[in-house]
């Protein structure tokens, strides 16, 4: 009887711990979607752990930016783009360019996410009940339409706390699936150490993958949405320490989960000499090496990554526009309903036209890096404005980290331009 009570107590504590996630859960949802998972799978299966250093740097800078954007809002009460427009000389133009760039990149990503998620659901059915779904193309489209419709309905009835709980469920399933998979299939320790030494694969597509890595792990949408989610949580200037811990936990989990995905792909696929270019590649290569259980786990993790990204991506354009207009998000407004409906229709392009969702995900992530320098330099000016910060001084270390993040983002953006030109 005592053992039963102890188990129930432990389970309750675990559930309470998971549900205690703050706005950082949205950072994980934005960052680790099928775009991130796809990039990690392609990198791990093609180049081993060679790009682990890019992931580490991106997550470090991402954590800093999540922290400073959240702090700015708690101290000043203002959201990001509204503050850009109000306080920076070229702020209005910067804000408009950021809205266009992020919305375009995220909606392109959404197409790939829906394509991959629908394909994964199909493959899970195909593994366990192939006789009930003989027509792949029609089934994938049907799955995509049903998933999109469900998410749109949930968007119309939900509020911040509701979105947060849904994301907690998906992110928890995703994290556990990938971490358990890592215990079943893993790379050599020496490969992990070598992956921390900076190098870029000297092959076609190497630059593109580096840009995609940064585009998905150091995502501008994550930082710009942070202020509205912090306000949605009800945090104030009294919650500065909670905000700091939340940012650290978010960045750490993004690194651990993403690295786990890359490591599984490296351990299972890299040494087989079979890089991933299609969703089906995961079935054909992972199952013989790791077994049906590991494959199913990995698929559920990837599916959860996709579903955890759909909510934030559908929200991103209304969030940015509301931020620019007033600094407040109204999920019951006509503007919110129309924009999210358009995004839902946009999401169906890849499933309907049958494009390669993996390739679409890689390319879409590159678009996310182009506005990144604006996002970094804008907050750098704002947090060093003494009048706005009300006596709260930004440390020299945070400023150094932001300057390095700006330089890093400029290099990656330049690299992204070259990668796109090569692709086109």
């Amino acid at each position: 009887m005592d053992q039963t009570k102890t188990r129930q107590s432990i389970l309750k504590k675990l559930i309470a711990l998971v549900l205690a996630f703050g706005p950082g859960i949205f950072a994980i949802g934005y960052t680790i979607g099928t775009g991130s998972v796809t990039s990690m799978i392609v990198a791990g299966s093609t180049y081993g752990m060679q790009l682990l250093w890019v992931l580490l740097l991106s997550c470090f800078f991402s954590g800093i930016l999540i922290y400073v954007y959240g702090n700015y809002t708690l101290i000043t009460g203002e959201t990001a783009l509204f503050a850009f427009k109000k306080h920076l000389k070229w702020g209005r133009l910067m804000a408009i360019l950021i809205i266009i760039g992020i919305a375009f990149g995220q909606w392109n990503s959404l197409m790939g996410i829906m394509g991959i998620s629908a394909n994964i659901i199909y493959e899970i059915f195909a593994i366990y009940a192939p006789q009930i779904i003989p027509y792949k193309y029609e089934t994938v489209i049907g799955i995509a339409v049903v998933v999109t419709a469900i998410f749109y309905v949930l968007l119309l009835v939900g509020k911040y706390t509701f979105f947060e709980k849904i994301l907690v469920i998906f992110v928890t399933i995703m994290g556990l699936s990938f971490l358990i998979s890592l215990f079943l299939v893993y790379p050599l320790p020496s490969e992990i150490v070598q992956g921390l030494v900076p190098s870029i694969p000297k092959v076609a597509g190497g630059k593109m993958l580096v840009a995609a890595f940064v585009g998905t792990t150091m995502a501008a949408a994550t930082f710009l949405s942070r202020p509205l989610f912090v306000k949605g949580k009800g945090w104030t200037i009294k919650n500065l320490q909670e905000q700091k811990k939340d940012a650290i936990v978010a960045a750490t989990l993004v690194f651990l989960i993403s690295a786990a995905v890359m490591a599984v792909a490296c351990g299972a696929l890299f040494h087989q000499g079979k890089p991933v270019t299609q969703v089906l590649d995961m079935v054909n290569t992972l199952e013989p090496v790791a077994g049906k259980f590991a494959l199913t786990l990995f698929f559920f993790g990837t599916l959860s990554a996709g579903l955890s990204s759909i909510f934030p991506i559908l929200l991103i354009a209304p969030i940015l526009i509301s931020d620019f207009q007033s600094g407040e998000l109204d999920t019951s407004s006509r503007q919110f309903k129309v924009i999210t409906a358009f995004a839902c229709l946009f999401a169906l392009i890849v499933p309907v036209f049958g494009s390669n969702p993996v390739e679409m995900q890689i390319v879409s992530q590159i678009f996310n890096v182009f506005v990144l320098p604006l996002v970094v330099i804008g907050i750098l000016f704002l947090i060093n404005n003494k009048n706005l910060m009300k006596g709260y001084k930004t440390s020299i270390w945070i400023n150094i980290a932001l300057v390095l993040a700006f330089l890093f983002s400029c290099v990656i953006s330049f690299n992204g331009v070259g990668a796109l030109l090569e692709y086109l």
Side-chain angles (χ1 to χ4, degrees), residues 2 34 37 60 65 90 143 186 230 248 340 412:
D2 290 337
T34 48
V37 171
F60 172 73
L65 285 158
W90 300 98
I143 291 169
Y186 49 85
V230 165
I248 292 171
T340 49
I412 294 299

Side-chain angles (χ1 to χ4, degrees), residues 1 4 13 30 41 46 54 62 77 88 137 164 168 182 199 217 226 259 270 277 310 327 344 365 375 378 413:
M1 192 72 169
T4 304
K13 286 179 181 177
Y30 268 121
I41 291 172
T46 310
V54 181
S62 185
L88 299 180
Y137 175 73
E164 189 180 82
V168 165
L182 183 59
S199 63
T217 52
R226 177 76 172 178
F270 176 62
T277 56
I310 291 173
C344 286
Q365 297 308 314
V375 172
S413 293

